[in-house]
Amino acid sequence: MNKGLKIGLEILLAALICLFVWLIVKSVQKPVKFNQELKARSEVGIQRLKDIRTLQVAFKSATGRFSPNVDSLKMFYETGKMDIVMQIGSHDDSLAVANTEAIKAAVRKANKKATPEQIAEKLREAYAAGTKVVFSSVTEIAVKDTLFNNRPDFCIDSLFYIPFSGRQLTEMESTIKTVSGVQVPLFEARMPYKALCKGMDNQLRINKDAECRDQNKYEGLQVGSITAPNNNAGNWE
């Protein structure tokens, strides 16, 4: 064989080997990088779902039900109000506890049908006069002045969008379900991987969805459930 031809073939063979090695490494690294990117995106999505859950719980405290859509939940944050319960005094203060019981007894003696509100009013009057007592005070405050006010990065306008999806809204539902004869408000919010993984390798995303289905899991991130009470848990918890 011609020496020049032999050298050429050796160079070609070496190049092909390098190409095959590169392709093998790339095929191995592809799902690794996909999972790394999915984890990073999921962290952003999970934080938004946690914030949505916080808003939903506050909405339920104020209305007795969960919000069925993002519009009413956003309006609740921007214009709604919620009750904040504050405890005045301490149950560890024996004098405050004794004074409280004495005032309650005096009110009930004067009026056997005294309501809890009337008793609370007498306790507030005693507290204002300088007497040590223990009672709960309810204050109404704007939602946006209470929730997330320690989060300078919080933005209500972006909260309801699935991150990296091109502004696709988080899927949300609410219902009231009868459980053991009791009506229980339920909600769920969902971010499907199909939206969360937009722009990523589509076949690997399809594989991820199939893996979730095989494990009877939702193909994405979800908090709460409208099918059964789950204490508003997220499927990442």
Side-chain angles (χ1 to χ4, degrees), residues 50-168:
K50 285 181 177 179
D51 291 343
I52 288 172
R53 174 171 60 189
T54 297
L55 266 176
Q56 282 282 24
V57 171
F59 186 94
K60 177 177 174 290
S61 296
T63 65
R65 59 183 177 84
F66 288 115
S67 169
N69 54 62
V70 298
D71 292 332
S72 60
L73 203 56
K74 183 179 179 182
M75 183 177 295
F76 172 70
Y77 173 79
E78 293 177 334
T79 65
K81 294 182 178 181
M82 58 188 295
D83 291 338
I84 301 297
V85 180
M86 298 177 60
Q87 179 176 299
I88 306 299
S90 172
H91 288 286
D92 295 330
D93 188 330
S94 57
L95 178 58
V97 172
N99 288 340
T100 299
E101 294 304 318
I103 292 171
K104 288 181 178 179
V107 173
R108 293 190 181 105
K109 184 176 181 180
N111 180 7
K112 293 182 179 180
K113 296 182 179 181
T115 64
E117 290 76 15
Q118 291 172 323
I119 294 174
E121 180 60 31
K122 289 296 182 182
L123 289 172
R124 284 193 290 269
E125 291 175 359
Y127 176 76
T131 303
K132 281 189 172 184
V133 291
V134 181
F135 67 96
S136 295
S137 177
V138 180
T139 303
E140 190 177 67
I141 189 169
V143 174
K144 64 181 179 181
D145 293 335
T146 307
L147 299 181
F148 315 118
N149 57 4
N150 62 338
R151 295 256 305 279
D153 61 333
F154 178 79
C155 178
I156 190 64
D157 291 325
S158 62
L159 175 62
F160 303 107
Y161 291 108
I162 300 172
F164 312 101
S165 69
R167 295 180 68 81
Q168 182 173 327

Side-chain angles (χ1 to χ4, degrees), residues 38 41-42 45-46 49 162 170-171 189-197 205 208-213 215-224 233-237:
L38 176 59
R41 293 189 179 198
S42 293
I46 286 171
L49 288 176
I162 300 172
T170 297
E171 300 170 3
R190 303 180 302 272
M191 293 183 177
Y193 286 136
K194 186 175 183 180
L196 189 65
C197 296
R205 192 272 306 166
K208 180 66 177 178
D209 285 350
E211 178 186 334
C212 291
R213 287 193 297 270
Q215 298 174 359
N216 293 319
K217 295 179 179 179
Y218 173 64
E219 302 98 327
L221 302 175
Q222 177 178 323
V223 64
N235 64 352
W236 63 87
E237 295 175 319

